[in-house]
Amino acid sequence: MTVGPTQVDQGQVIEGMRPGAIAAVPAVRRVRVAVTRVDPWTVMKLALVLSVALVVVLVVAVSVLWWVLNSAGVFSSVSNTVTELTGQTSTFRLTEFLGYGRVLRVALIVSLIDVVLLTALATLTAFLFNLSAGIVGGLEVTLTEGG
């Protein structure tokens, strides 16, 4: 845990200091910055890269989840339960509907739609920020140098 600079009052004694010495307090520099414009092209590129990374994460997560459920026997157990409930003449197999290829295709389609939507929304948000920053003066941020 880092602690910021210590405020020392005059006359306060700090352990290890000789009497009469004045403690040197490091100065904290603060800068106020106003963000008044965001480049929409840069926002679009960044959103596209982050969305593609999200696609990779989603596809890997869906693959791992399907593999875990299949290894645990969830699909066969559900198929057996449905067969018992509907009668012995039913040949219901859950893996026909939730096969690995079909699930992965659906995940990829949803991910690609997500890439397009997130990229478009982020770019639109950058344009809206630029319009509103002209009216209200932008976003003011205070940066502090830690010590």
Side-chain angles (χ1 to χ4, degrees), residues 9-126:
D9 293 333
Q10 194 169 8
Q12 181 180 3
V13 178
I14 298 178
E15 188 177 328
M17 280 182 51
R18 58 188 166 83
I22 298 175
V25 178
V28 176
R29 293 192 301 179
R30 291 190 177 147
V31 178
R32 296 179 88 180
V33 179
V35 180
T36 58
R37 187 176 185 287
V38 177
D39 185 28
W41 178 249
T42 305
V43 170
M44 187 190 80
K45 290 188 293 185
L46 182 64
L48 181 66
V49 169
L50 292 177
S51 297
V52 169
L54 189 63
V55 167
V56 172
V57 169
L58 182 69
V59 168
V60 168
V62 166
S63 297
V64 168
L65 182 64
W66 191 92
W67 179 77
V68 166
L69 291 175
N70 191 37
S71 297
V74 171
F75 297 134
S76 61
S77 176
V78 169
S79 295
N80 291 339
T81 304
V82 169
T83 301
E84 288 176 11
L85 290 175
T86 59
Q88 295 298 331
T89 59
S90 175
T91 57
F92 176 77
R93 290 184 46 149
L94 187 61
T95 54
E96 290 177 8
F97 297 106
L98 293 179
Y100 179 71
R102 181 176 284 181
V103 169
L104 205 57
R105 275 192 299 265
V106 169
L108 280 171
I109 290 170
V110 169
S111 297
L112 292 177
I113 292 170
D114 185 44
V115 165
V116 172
L117 287 177
L118 281 177
T119 304
L121 287 175
T123 308
L124 180 64
T125 304

